[in-house]
Amino acid sequence: MTTALTLSGSIRQGSRNRMLQEHVGRKLDAAGVAVTAISLGDFDMPIFNEDLEPDHVPEAAGRLAELWRSHDAVFIATPEYNGGLPPLLVNALAWLSRQKPSPFRHPVIGIGGVSSGKYGTIWALSHLRDSLSKVGGLVVPGLLGIGPDEQAFDENGDFIEPAIIRKVDTLVHDLTHIKRG
């Protein structure tokens, strides 16, 4: 059975990106994928600093890397902060990049984000795609930038706009059909 790990770059209560993470998780589950949803808040890691290596690498970095390695797909929902990625996600990816073997070289990765602006995290997603690709990640095509957030979801946490529904369906298809070589 195909497995997927889902996470969000936001740990805020009521986060629309956590709603996106949950929505994509439900869609993956409906497609027959075994989904593991995590919160980066459960992985306590100090701000990345090479001076902490090799003696003070957080145990949580190894646990998170193992989760990435043990799943066929990873979905990351991210907010956009000042046109970039949130510090929580940047720090997690920095620690992951130091783990051996590289956790980025196994799963197929999907990315998406929700923001209050009409550009829907496009800049953050572009940065995330670039960063993941540079460390060996295989990011599925497409851009799942959603905004404005207050108009995106219905009362059940599902998307309202047909174009967004199609983009989510395409993302789920790509995560379940694209395989690493």
Side-chain angles (χ1 to χ4, degrees), residues 82-116:
N82 303 315
L85 295 171
L88 175 68
L89 183 57
V90 170
N91 194 55
L93 294 174
W95 278 112
L96 281 173
S97 74
R98 307 298 285 187
Q99 304 302 302
K100 303 294 182 228
S102 172
F104 301 108
R105 294 196 179 274
H106 177 72
V108 174
I109 305 167
I111 59 175
V114 183
S115 75
S116 59

Side-chain angles (χ1 to χ4, degrees), residues 34-171:
V35 177
T36 304
I38 64 168
S39 170
L40 289 178
D42 295 333
F43 296 85
D44 189 28
M45 295 180 276
I47 293 175
F48 178 75
N49 178 345
E50 286 185 47
D51 290 342
L52 296 174
E53 297 177 313
D55 299 327
H56 302 289
V57 173
E59 170 271 334
R63 283 190 299 117
L64 185 56
E66 188 49 41
L67 279 169
W68 277 62
R69 287 186 209 104
S70 66
H71 287 80
D72 301 308
V74 172
F75 174 72
I76 303 169
T78 187
E80 182 172 276
Y81 292 177
N82 303 315
L85 295 171
L88 175 68
L89 183 57
V90 170
N91 194 55
L93 294 174
W95 278 112
L96 281 173
S97 74
R98 307 298 285 187
Q99 304 302 302
K100 303 294 182 228
S102 172
F104 301 108
R105 294 196 179 274
H106 177 72
V108 174
I109 305 167
I111 59 175
V114 183
S115 75
S116 59
K118 66 180 179 177
Y119 295 112
T121 71
I122 288 173
W123 294 307
L125 292 173
S126 177
H127 180 202
L128 181 57
R129 176 182 304 282
D130 188 46
S131 294
L132 291 169
S133 296
K134 286 179 178 169
V135 293
L138 176 60
V139 183
V140 299
L143 189 62
L144 185 57
I146 302 161
D149 62 351
E150 69 274 355
Q151 301 169 6
F153 297 94
D154 66 15
E155 64 279 354
N156 299 318
D158 292 320
F159 290 106
I160 297 168
E161 188 179 327
I164 298 299
I165 294 167
R166 283 191 303 276
K167 285 182 179 184
V168 170
D169 290 344
T170 299
L171 174 78

